[in-house]
Amino acid sequence: MLISEQRPNYVTILSIVRAVGDLGCENITRAVHGLLFKMGFESEMSVITALLGVYSIWDVEVGWKLFDQIPQKDMVLWNAMLSVCVKSEQYIEAFEIFREMQYNGVQPNHVSFVSILPACAVLANLSFGRQIHGFSIKRVCYSLTNVQNSLVDMYAKCGYLKTSIHVFNRIEKMDLISWRTMIHGCIENKSPRIALIMFSKMQSCCFKPDEVIILDAIGASADAEIFGFGLGFHSYTLKCGFLGSVSVATALVQVYAKFGEFGSARILFDQIHQKDLIAWSAMISAYAQNGHPFNALDTFKNMQSTNEKPNEITFVSVLQACSSMGVQELGESIHAHVTKAGYSSNAFLISALIDLYCKFGRIRQGKALFDEMHIKDLICWSSMINGYGINGCGVEALEIFSRMLNRGIKPNEVVFISLLSACSHCGLENEGWDWFYAMEKIYGLTPKLPHYACMVDLLSRQGHVEEALEFVKSMPIEPDKRIWGAILAGCRSISGSIEAAELVVEQLISLDPENTSCYVVLSNLYAEQCRWEDVERLRKFLDKKETGYSIIDSIS
């Protein structure tokens, strides 16, 4: 057209700008920008608006200059700049643009509301979000589905799930985005069961889910710890053709692994034809975090044979496996790979390496890695505290914790687990109780089962079995196998605690009927006190393995 000396009009220019934007080529964009200004289109509002959208991808400053040079801005340009601010994460500037457009006599419309509400959601600015909600009702935009979808998202991200559901239920013309937003909002607010209920309602309303909803629903089934839903989603994805997606198959692998069905997880994993890094990492992580380190390392070896390059997540799982198996040489080799791959400053990896070396008893090397970290996150501090604790260096663990506090870093629940565990392993009973009570009193953290387990372990290691039992009775949550196991270990270290041991064994068997290792401990306690009749009765009981037959009954 230019060669033929045909002058393009603004419609042609708009088409060219949009085409250049789709190409994503910065140099061509700047060339076209220069050309259209040379041809006198610099004051054409629609052309400037189109350029604004293109520049928002890589140079927001140019976008601002384009915006500021237009003296009389229309609604479309204001909304375009508003959208650019939000997409480029300039949320405060987005609020300013929203206010400024009104000062200039331009009343926001539904596009304005849909653009500004994500900024309220990200910043959890509930107050401004509510104002937008009221404004949308006043402007008669509230009934539009995209506005209501944005409100559902905003309230969910601000932590007001009930309000989000209330807005959702009042949407007259729901679309797939409505359901997707609501289901994801439930998951973000740690309400996976409600998310699954929403998924069921969506199906009853004859909406077919997309891959994003399927992934959220599968994740919700795992978070809700309802294995039946996970199995149901496997069948559903197979029936609806979603199982061909690597992401969906990987999510199902993680569900099976979470519920201990590693055989099924592996079968499904092997059926993924084009495995990506996420799929490999998920399978390796599932093995490493659930007591199957050999399988984790074997899967890592298989991944390497496909020339797939590991990332930080993969390396963390492999290091965990090395630590569990006690293979120092392989751990050092992975450390070298981590350095070569340029991940030496990754906090998660450094923490995994600190764990690795400390479990091998090489505290100096773990401490050296810790000291090399310029910016330490809570995971790094926790790893170093735990490293000292498992090596019997309780005083050093407390010193690291004090250093962390002196730097103004507030401990979280994980750090307290490491700290209390260190006190338990090192016999620091007074310090352990002081920090246990400080959790809630000073730091506002409610102790959970792992924290109670540390305190039970602390008492049991000191031989205070009766006190440990009384403490368990006073706990506001039900004890698990770790807690009863800690007390049983305490029974082994002192004499005269047969009755306590019998009670503990009864509790352990009720929680894990298939695990009979606790009977061996009880039998040894009987033997130490020369109660040979009880030893024989226990042996006969084990031979019978009658379901529901109490160990207390067997020795009475």
Side-chain angles (χ1 to χ4, degrees), residues 37-51:
F37 267 58
K38 185 178 179 181
M39 299 178 72
F41 288 102
E42 67 274 7
S43 60
E44 191 67 51
M45 198 86 69
S46 56
V47 174
I48 296 301
T49 303
L51 272 175

Side-chain angles (χ1 to χ4, degrees), residues 230-280:
L231 288 174
F233 279 120
H234 190 173
S235 301
Y236 183 82
T237 55
L238 183 62
K239 180 181 178 181
C240 297
F242 286 106
L243 201 55
S245 164
V246 177
S247 299
V248 172
T250 301
L252 286 168
V253 166
Q254 292 172 313
V255 170
Y256 278 114
K258 180 169 184 175
F259 290 101
E261 299 291 334
F262 291 99
S264 298
R266 185 68 200 208
I267 291 170
L268 184 55
F269 174 75
D270 289 338
Q271 290 174 350
I272 302 174
H273 298 297
Q274 298 293 327
K275 299 178 181 68
D276 59 10
L277 180 57
I278 298 173
W280 284 107

